[in-house]
Amino acid sequence: MSLTLTYFPVRGRAEVIRVMLKDQGAEFDEKVITMEMWTESTLKASCLFGQLPIFEDGDLTLYQTNAIRRHLARKLGLYGKDQREAALIDMMDEALQDLLNKYIKLMFEKDDSGKEGYLKALPTGLKPFEKTLSSNKGGFLVGDKISLADYALVLLLIHHQVLSPPCLDAFPSLQSYLKRLCARPNLHAYLHSDDFKSRPIIPGKRA
Ligand SMILES: N[C@@H](CCC(=O)N[C@@H](CSC(=S)NCCc1ccccc1)C(=O)NCC(=O)O)C(=O)O
């Protein structure tokens, strides 16, 4: 299984793919594209949608982060035990995309003026996941095995603790979930690696 991820030297949209693969112990190569390479080469024109990431799985070439994530989830058994769980995982993942899109918008704002309002509204966004984790005794968002949606939530929580360390203080289930998942041996090793720590969240924004 030759897997290659092509992306910029930032966490960005690709980080959730890296986290999944690292936690699952799936070997993959990375092609790092600097902004200079991106603007000077024909790579952008060769990308179906003109954007990164690109994910190559043998002779399959995929664009679109969430399509890549779902492909890997099917391949690595990260989509629940049956269709019911897969549907619930999709539901959780869609809701996480809503949170991620708000976070991306904040990350790209020129100054910190939107941060106060963002953090004020954050608990409303986190509450459904606190409620889900406190009621699901399986230990994950859905069922009793890690899924596609858990990786998205874990990375969002990690980034939000950088943005505002106390942001999980009112959410004990999210706190213990994050602690437990980040202690998974492969994920723990990756999160403490220079690879992860040295990559900015987006260009110019260090974690
Ligand atoms: N729908 C696509 C969107 C891909 C995309 O926006 N790619 C960007 C890079 S991805 C990006 S903007 N990431 C930073 C935003 C981010 C920050 C923090 C977490 C997640 C994302 C890109 O290729 N820009 C160059 C160009 O268009 O010429 C996807 O999900 O892959």
mmCIF file of all heavy atoms in Angstrom, residues 7-8 12-13 38 44 50-53 64-66 100 103-104 107-108 201-202, ligand 1:
data_model
loop_
_atom_site.group_PDB
_atom_site.id
_atom_site.type_symbol
_atom_site.label_atom_id
_atom_site.label_comp_id
_atom_site.label_asym_id
_atom_site.label_seq_id
_atom_site.Cartn_x
_atom_site.Cartn_y
_atom_site.Cartn_z
ATOM 1 N N TYR A 7 1.229 18.266 0.205
ATOM 2 C CA TYR A 7 0.605 19.437 0.821
ATOM 3 C C TYR A 7 1.660 20.483 1.127
ATOM 4 O O TYR A 7 2.856 20.266 0.920
ATOM 5 C CB TYR A 7 -0.124 18.997 2.106
ATOM 6 C CG TYR A 7 -1.076 20.028 2.670
ATOM 7 C CD1 TYR A 7 -2.210 20.427 1.971
ATOM 8 C CD2 TYR A 7 -0.833 20.627 3.901
ATOM 9 C CE1 TYR A 7 -3.071 21.391 2.485
ATOM 10 C CE2 TYR A 7 -1.692 21.578 4.416
ATOM 11 C CZ TYR A 7 -2.806 21.955 3.705
ATOM 12 O OH TYR A 7 -3.651 22.901 4.209
ATOM 13 N N PHE A 8 1.231 21.593 1.636
ATOM 14 C CA PHE A 8 2.125 22.688 2.036
ATOM 15 C C PHE A 8 2.785 22.369 3.372
ATOM 16 O O PHE A 8 2.290 21.487 4.103
ATOM 17 C CB PHE A 8 1.313 23.989 2.146
ATOM 18 C CG PHE A 8 0.658 24.386 0.846
ATOM 19 C CD1 PHE A 8 -0.726 24.262 0.695
ATOM 20 C CD2 PHE A 8 1.411 24.813 -0.234
ATOM 21 C CE1 PHE A 8 -1.339 24.602 -0.507
ATOM 22 C CE2 PHE A 8 0.806 25.146 -1.445
ATOM 23 C CZ PHE A 8 -0.577 25.039 -1.582
ATOM 24 N N GLY A 12 -2.752 22.875 8.489
ATOM 25 C CA GLY A 12 -3.857 23.166 7.571
ATOM 26 C C GLY A 12 -4.892 22.059 7.506
ATOM 27 O O GLY A 12 -5.201 21.395 8.490
ATOM 28 N N ARG A 13 -5.383 21.840 6.295
ATOM 29 C CA ARG A 13 -6.420 20.811 6.098
ATOM 30 C C ARG A 13 -5.824 19.397 6.154
ATOM 31 O O ARG A 13 -6.538 18.441 6.451
ATOM 32 C CB ARG A 13 -7.093 20.997 4.742
ATOM 33 C CG ARG A 13 -7.991 22.194 4.680
ATOM 34 C CD ARG A 13 -8.721 22.304 3.359
ATOM 35 N NE ARG A 13 -9.464 23.553 3.304
ATOM 36 C CZ ARG A 13 -10.614 23.749 3.918
ATOM 37 N NH1 ARG A 13 -11.163 22.774 4.603
ATOM 38 N NH2 ARG A 13 -11.211 24.922 3.867
ATOM 39 N N TRP A 38 4.696 26.165 -5.488
ATOM 40 C CA TRP A 38 3.281 26.169 -5.904
ATOM 41 C C TRP A 38 3.020 27.229 -6.976
ATOM 42 O O TRP A 38 2.328 26.997 -7.957
ATOM 43 C CB TRP A 38 2.412 26.406 -4.679
ATOM 44 C CG TRP A 38 0.946 26.360 -4.898
ATOM 45 C CD1 TRP A 38 0.065 27.396 -4.749
ATOM 46 C CD2 TRP A 38 0.149 25.225 -5.261
ATOM 47 N NE1 TRP A 38 -1.224 26.971 -5.005
ATOM 48 C CE2 TRP A 38 -1.193 25.642 -5.328
ATOM 49 C CE3 TRP A 38 0.446 23.888 -5.565
ATOM 50 C CZ2 TRP A 38 -2.239 24.778 -5.659
ATOM 51 C CZ3 TRP A 38 -0.588 23.024 -5.895
ATOM 52 C CH2 TRP A 38 -1.924 23.477 -5.935
ATOM 53 N N LYS A 44 -0.162 23.319 -9.718
ATOM 54 C CA LYS A 44 -1.545 23.800 -9.481
ATOM 55 C C LYS A 44 -2.430 23.499 -10.683
ATOM 56 O O LYS A 44 -3.538 22.979 -10.542
ATOM 57 C CB LYS A 44 -1.556 25.289 -9.173
ATOM 58 C CG LYS A 44 -2.945 25.879 -8.914
ATOM 59 C CD LYS A 44 -2.873 27.321 -8.461
ATOM 60 C CE LYS A 44 -4.237 27.980 -8.386
ATOM 61 N NZ LYS A 44 -5.031 27.521 -7.237
ATOM 62 N N GLY A 50 -7.313 22.461 -8.674
ATOM 63 C CA GLY A 50 -6.334 23.542 -8.487
ATOM 64 C C GLY A 50 -5.899 23.747 -7.052
ATOM 65 O O GLY A 50 -5.455 24.843 -6.676
ATOM 66 N N GLN A 51 -6.068 22.719 -6.203
ATOM 67 C CA GLN A 51 -5.751 22.906 -4.782
ATOM 68 C C GLN A 51 -5.087 21.658 -4.193
ATOM 69 O O GLN A 51 -5.203 20.547 -4.738
ATOM 70 C CB GLN A 51 -7.032 23.239 -4.003
ATOM 71 C CG GLN A 51 -7.601 24.632 -4.357
ATOM 72 C CD GLN A 51 -8.733 25.023 -3.480
ATOM 73 O OE1 GLN A 51 -9.689 24.252 -3.315
ATOM 74 N NE2 GLN A 51 -8.644 26.202 -2.892
ATOM 75 N N LEU A 52 -4.475 21.854 -3.046
ATOM 76 C CA LEU A 52 -3.906 20.751 -2.253
ATOM 77 C C LEU A 52 -4.773 20.552 -1.023
ATOM 78 O O LEU A 52 -5.514 21.486 -0.648
ATOM 79 C CB LEU A 52 -2.473 21.117 -1.827
ATOM 80 C CG LEU A 52 -1.451 21.304 -2.954
ATOM 81 C CD1 LEU A 52 -0.086 21.686 -2.360
ATOM 82 C CD2 LEU A 52 -1.347 20.082 -3.830
ATOM 83 N N PRO A 53 -4.807 19.390 -0.369
ATOM 84 C CA PRO A 53 -3.914 18.252 -0.542
ATOM 85 C C PRO A 53 -4.282 17.351 -1.733
ATOM 86 O O PRO A 53 -5.398 17.371 -2.218
ATOM 87 C CB PRO A 53 -4.085 17.467 0.757
ATOM 88 C CG PRO A 53 -5.487 17.749 1.175
ATOM 89 C CD PRO A 53 -5.742 19.174 0.763
ATOM 90 N N GLN A 64 -9.548 16.762 -2.390
ATOM 91 C CA GLN A 64 -10.639 16.999 -1.465
ATOM 92 C C GLN A 64 -10.423 16.260 -0.140
ATOM 93 O O GLN A 64 -10.598 15.030 -0.044
ATOM 94 C CB GLN A 64 -11.999 16.643 -2.060
ATOM 95 C CG GLN A 64 -12.370 17.469 -3.273
ATOM 96 C CD GLN A 64 -12.430 18.973 -2.957
ATOM 97 O OE1 GLN A 64 -12.729 19.416 -1.824
ATOM 98 N NE2 GLN A 64 -12.108 19.786 -3.962
ATOM 99 N N THR A 65 -10.030 17.010 0.857
ATOM 100 C CA THR A 65 -9.628 16.449 2.156
ATOM 101 C C THR A 65 -10.628 15.445 2.701
ATOM 102 O O THR A 65 -10.261 14.361 3.145
ATOM 103 C CB THR A 65 -9.454 17.597 3.175
ATOM 104 O OG1 THR A 65 -8.542 18.547 2.632
ATOM 105 C CG2 THR A 65 -8.926 17.075 4.500
ATOM 106 N N ASN A 66 -11.918 15.770 2.652
ATOM 107 C CA ASN A 66 -12.889 14.877 3.302
ATOM 108 C C ASN A 66 -13.119 13.599 2.505
ATOM 109 O O ASN A 66 -13.427 12.550 3.080
ATOM 110 C CB ASN A 66 -14.192 15.625 3.573
ATOM 111 C CG ASN A 66 -14.006 16.680 4.669
ATOM 112 O OD1 ASN A 66 -13.130 16.531 5.523
ATOM 113 N ND2 ASN A 66 -14.803 17.726 4.616
ATOM 114 N N LEU A 100 -14.959 23.425 12.273
ATOM 115 C CA LEU A 100 -13.663 23.653 11.610
ATOM 116 C C LEU A 100 -13.737 24.873 10.691
ATOM 117 O O LEU A 100 -12.829 25.710 10.685
ATOM 118 C CB LEU A 100 -13.251 22.422 10.812
ATOM 119 C CG LEU A 100 -11.942 22.550 10.001
ATOM 120 C CD1 LEU A 100 -10.744 22.798 10.922
ATOM 121 C CD2 LEU A 100 -11.701 21.308 9.153
ATOM 122 N N TYR A 103 -13.426 27.916 12.639
ATOM 123 C CA TYR A 103 -12.050 28.044 13.133
ATOM 124 C C TYR A 103 -11.130 28.548 12.026
ATOM 125 O O TYR A 103 -10.313 29.454 12.229
ATOM 126 C CB TYR A 103 -11.572 26.685 13.647
ATOM 127 C CG TYR A 103 -10.124 26.637 14.071
ATOM 128 C CD1 TYR A 103 -9.696 27.207 15.264
ATOM 129 C CD2 TYR A 103 -9.166 26.028 13.252
ATOM 130 C CE1 TYR A 103 -8.352 27.165 15.647
ATOM 131 C CE2 TYR A 103 -7.832 25.988 13.616
ATOM 132 C CZ TYR A 103 -7.428 26.555 14.814
ATOM 133 O OH TYR A 103 -6.093 26.515 15.179
ATOM 134 N N ILE A 104 -11.280 27.989 10.816
ATOM 135 C CA ILE A 104 -10.443 28.415 9.677
ATOM 136 C C ILE A 104 -10.668 29.900 9.408
ATOM 137 O O ILE A 104 -9.722 30.671 9.227
ATOM 138 C CB ILE A 104 -10.767 27.587 8.413
ATOM 139 C CG1 ILE A 104 -10.371 26.123 8.617
ATOM 140 C CG2 ILE A 104 -10.073 28.175 7.182
ATOM 141 C CD1 ILE A 104 -10.830 25.192 7.512
ATOM 142 N N MET A 107 -8.781 31.831 11.878
ATOM 143 C CA MET A 107 -7.332 31.739 11.648
ATOM 144 C C MET A 107 -6.882 32.704 10.556
ATOM 145 O O MET A 107 -5.784 33.228 10.600
ATOM 146 C CB MET A 107 -6.956 30.302 11.226
ATOM 147 C CG MET A 107 -6.945 29.291 12.344
ATOM 148 S SD MET A 107 -5.634 29.639 13.535
ATOM 149 C CE MET A 107 -6.613 30.134 14.922
ATOM 150 N N PHE A 108 -7.758 32.934 9.586
ATOM 151 C CA PHE A 108 -7.363 33.782 8.457
ATOM 152 C C PHE A 108 -7.694 35.252 8.666
ATOM 153 O O PHE A 108 -7.451 36.075 7.802
ATOM 154 C CB PHE A 108 -7.983 33.266 7.149
ATOM 155 C CG PHE A 108 -7.181 32.147 6.540
ATOM 156 C CD1 PHE A 108 -7.541 30.825 6.741
ATOM 157 C CD2 PHE A 108 -6.030 32.406 5.808
ATOM 158 C CE1 PHE A 108 -6.780 29.780 6.220
ATOM 159 C CE2 PHE A 108 -5.259 31.376 5.277
ATOM 160 C CZ PHE A 108 -5.643 30.064 5.485
ATOM 161 N N ILE A 201 0.137 26.049 12.048
ATOM 162 C CA ILE A 201 -1.245 25.658 11.743
ATOM 163 C C ILE A 201 -1.622 26.137 10.338
ATOM 164 O O ILE A 201 -2.147 25.391 9.524
ATOM 165 C CB ILE A 201 -2.207 26.224 12.807
ATOM 166 C CG1 ILE A 201 -1.914 25.542 14.160
ATOM 167 C CG2 ILE A 201 -3.669 26.016 12.399
ATOM 168 C CD1 ILE A 201 -2.781 25.992 15.313
ATOM 169 N N ILE A 202 -1.302 27.388 10.067
ATOM 170 C CA ILE A 202 -1.401 27.901 8.689
ATOM 171 C C ILE A 202 -0.165 28.760 8.487
ATOM 172 O O ILE A 202 0.529 29.079 9.445
ATOM 173 C CB ILE A 202 -2.672 28.755 8.463
ATOM 174 C CG1 ILE A 202 -2.750 29.929 9.442
ATOM 175 C CG2 ILE A 202 -3.916 27.925 8.523
ATOM 176 C CD1 ILE A 202 -3.816 30.923 9.093
HETATM 177 N N1 LIG B 1 -12.168 21.595 -0.440
HETATM 178 C C1 LIG B 1 -10.731 21.447 -0.502
HETATM 179 C C2 LIG B 1 -10.090 22.777 -0.206
HETATM 180 C C3 LIG B 1 -8.582 22.694 -0.399
HETATM 181 C C4 LIG B 1 -7.906 24.022 -0.143
HETATM 182 O O1 LIG B 1 -8.520 24.999 0.262
HETATM 183 N N2 LIG B 1 -6.602 24.008 -0.358
HETATM 184 C C5 LIG B 1 -5.801 25.190 -0.146
HETATM 185 C C6 LIG B 1 -4.824 24.968 0.991
HETATM 186 S S1 LIG B 1 -5.641 24.323 2.358
HETATM 187 C C7 LIG B 1 -5.898 25.656 3.397
HETATM 188 S S2 LIG B 1 -6.451 27.077 2.868
HETATM 189 N N3 LIG B 1 -5.587 25.410 4.672
HETATM 190 C C8 LIG B 1 -5.480 26.356 5.684
HETATM 191 C C9 LIG B 1 -6.800 26.452 6.379
HETATM 192 C C10 LIG B 1 -6.842 25.564 7.585
HETATM 193 C C11 LIG B 1 -6.323 26.003 8.801
HETATM 194 C C12 LIG B 1 -6.416 25.188 9.923
HETATM 195 C C13 LIG B 1 -7.028 23.928 9.831
HETATM 196 C C14 LIG B 1 -7.548 23.512 8.601
HETATM 197 C C15 LIG B 1 -7.453 24.332 7.482
HETATM 198 C C16 LIG B 1 -4.980 25.463 -1.373
HETATM 199 O O2 LIG B 1 -4.628 24.553 -2.112
HETATM 200 N N4 LIG B 1 -4.659 26.752 -1.564
HETATM 201 C C17 LIG B 1 -3.794 27.130 -2.691
HETATM 202 C C18 LIG B 1 -4.592 27.543 -3.898
HETATM 203 O O3 LIG B 1 -5.848 27.486 -3.822
HETATM 204 O O4 LIG B 1 -3.942 27.918 -4.907
HETATM 205 C C19 LIG B 1 -10.267 20.376 0.499
HETATM 206 O O5 LIG B 1 -10.968 20.216 1.512
HETATM 207 O O6 LIG B 1 -9.247 19.733 0.265
#
